[in-house]
Amino acid sequence: MPQLDRRAGFWTAALVAGLALWASGAPTVVYPLYAHEWGLTPATTTLIFAVYPLVLVPVLVLFGNLSDVIGRRATMLYGLAALGLGALAFGLAPDLAWVLVGRALMGVGVGLSLSPATAAMIEFSSPGQQARASSATTAATATGLALATLVGGALVQYGPWPTHLTFWVLVVVTAVSAVLVWLLPRHTRDETAGPWRPRRPHVPRDARAPFVAGTLAVSGAYAMGAIFLALGAQIARDLVRSDDAFVGGAIISVSAVVIGVVAVLARRLAPRTAVTIGPPAAALGLALLISAGLAHSLPLFLASSVVAGAGYSLLFSGGLGLVTLSAPVHHRAAVLSAAYVVAYVLQAAAALGIGALATSSTLLRALEIGSPLVLALGVAGLVVARIGHRAGAANTVRPAAEPVPR
């Protein structure tokens, strides 16, 4: 059977990483329809969003090191199978229960596929280019998110079956991705490693400062993303007063496009520099979002998407770069999973907390209270990164030799 070469393998892993964010963002433009048809409160719609990270976290904890043993290809295939089943449940969903099941299956799928895809992008990178894989991962996930909201918005606004069609498209894309992953090089098991079992990720002592700083930065990006993914379409409809699903999805997709563009433009930035610039940009983006709600302004909503996207990109790519530097080569997926565990727990907490505030008071009030708390994560990452730099930690960690991609 033919196998993909290193370059094709890199882009296949990037496709899987992008698909993970496509799955995360696919329901975004459909939430207002669910709320209207089923009489859901903001707390319930954010619960639909939060089921995904709440299920994803234990999967990362239990199976975060699975691809370090059985290989990236096999683990990604398991993840894509769960993603496809989740999208199928959404595509058939007649009620809220089906949606929650579909969201849970998507959490399983992303939990199994995202860390192996990230690790595979590093290992399929050209020699000497591994450090730039974090920017490529950011661009890939941003592309997936942009397609989810842009394609989803168009299908909801102009296509038939507005609560179902976007998920059938996701089923097809997942199937195509699985075929490409099947063509990746197979992993030959190292019998000396023993049978697979869950293991607690270990981060070397001298690498803990960059790991903590990077994880906080990624968490800040994910928590900010929860605002736009869980409530972005509702913000467009209720605060900005735009009833066009395609317009709302397009504006959210602008944020995703900016995330990808900034990741590419800033790929030469040191990770520590990126997490230093990210928090001010995120703060301005969230301030513009609140201003858009106060003024019912679509241009301000667009501006907030652009600026917040830049902040997200710098926080995520810089944070992921720091985590990558802290990860031992033979435990890379496990350490990346540990970072994602923290990020997704905080993302779920942000979504549920802001949803509860929006239900008990107003959506605008929830943004005013929740935004500074979300921003605090990025600022904490900046502080730890600077302290670690002064202590010499960030300069002593170097990527180890790369293993053969598996």
Side-chain angles (χ1 to χ4, degrees):
M1 185 179 70
Q3 291 186 346
L4 300 179
D5 60 18
R6 176 184 287 269
R7 183 177 180 83
F10 176 89
W11 289 113
T12 297
L15 174 62
V16 174
L19 187 61
L21 266 290
W22 186 327
S24 175
T28 297
V29 293
V30 188
Y31 289 141
L33 300 183
Y34 292 154
H36 176 73
E37 290 186 12
W38 300 334
L40 307 182
T41 65
T44 304
T45 56
T46 52
L47 172 63
I48 298 172
F49 175 85
V51 164
Y52 159 82
L54 288 174
V55 171
L56 188 152
V57 165
V59 172
L60 287 174
V61 171
L62 292 174
F63 302 101
N65 67 327
L66 180 61
S67 77
D68 288 329
V69 178
I70 71 171
R72 315 300 184 209
R73 171 186 176 275
T75 310
M76 283 190 285
L77 285 172
Y78 290 136
L80 290 174
L83 268 181
L85 289 173
L88 186 63
F90 268 100
L92 297 171
D95 53 37
L96 180 61
W98 278 68
V99 166
L100 294 174
V101 170
R103 199 66 172 148
L105 286 168
M106 285 182 174
V108 173
V110 174
L112 289 174
S113 61
L114 183 55
S115 293
T118 305
M121 289 180 70
I122 297 168
E123 293 161 4
F124 280 116
S125 296
S126 300
Q129 301 296 314
Q130 291 86 0
R132 297 184 185 177
S134 60
S135 296
T137 303
T138 307
T141 55
T143 301
L145 181 57
L147 290 172
T149 53
L150 189 61
V151 173
L155 293 174
V156 167
Q157 188 66 34
Y158 304 116
W161 318 299
T163 58
H164 300 285
L165 183 57
T166 184
F167 300 107
W168 286 106
V169 172
L170 181 58
V171 169
V172 172
V173 175
T174 303
V176 172
S177 301
V179 171
L180 293 173
V181 171
W182 182 266
L183 297 176
L184 290 176
R186 293 177 180 270
H187 170 60
T188 301
R189 180 180 174 80
D190 181 5
E191 298 295 342
T192 64
W196 171 83
R197 65 179 184 274
R199 293 181 177 89
R200 182 172 60 88
H202 172 71
V203 180
R205 184 178 298 277
D206 61 354
R208 289 175 186 172
F211 174 81
V212 172
T215 299
L216 286 170
V218 172
S219 299
Y222 271 28
M224 184 169 64
I227 295 176
F228 283 89
L229 290 179
L231 294 171
Q234 203 70 35
I235 291 168
R237 175 168 291 196
D238 295 349
L239 296 185
V240 182
R241 297 174 180 170
S242 172
D243 292 327
D244 192 307
F246 177 69
V247 171
I251 291 176
I252 297 172
S253 75
V254 166
S255 178
V257 170
V258 171
I259 291 171
V261 170
V262 171
V264 172
L265 294 178
R267 66 188 182 277
R268 296 183 184 276
L269 283 180
R272 191 174 55 256
T273 302
V275 300
T276 300
I277 302 172
L284 179 57
L286 291 171
L288 287 169
L289 181 62
I290 294 171
S291 299
L294 289 169
H296 303 292
S297 170
L298 195 59
L300 281 177
F301 186 34
L302 177 60
S304 74
S305 295
V306 172
V307 179
Y312 178 106
S313 182
L314 293 166
L315 283 170
F316 181 78
S317 59
L320 194 61
L322 289 173
V323 171
T324 299
L325 289 176
S326 71
V329 171
H330 296 293
H331 301 284
R332 176 170 286 142
V335 174
L336 285 167
S337 293
Y340 281 131
V341 163
V342 177
Y344 277 114
V345 165
L346 292 172
Q347 184 186 57
L352 290 172
I354 292 174
L357 284 170
T359 300
S360 62
S361 57
T362 65
L363 183 54
L364 183 59
R365 183 62 175 165
L367 292 175
E368 291 172 342
I369 295 174
S371 294
L373 298 177
V374 166
L375 182 62
L377 293 170
V379 173
L382 184 161
V383 171
V384 175
R386 303 312 297 181
I387 292 174
H389 173 54
R390 284 196 293 269
N395 291 330
T396 59
V397 181
R398 293 290 185 270
E402 292 298 317
V404 176
R406 47 190 180 169

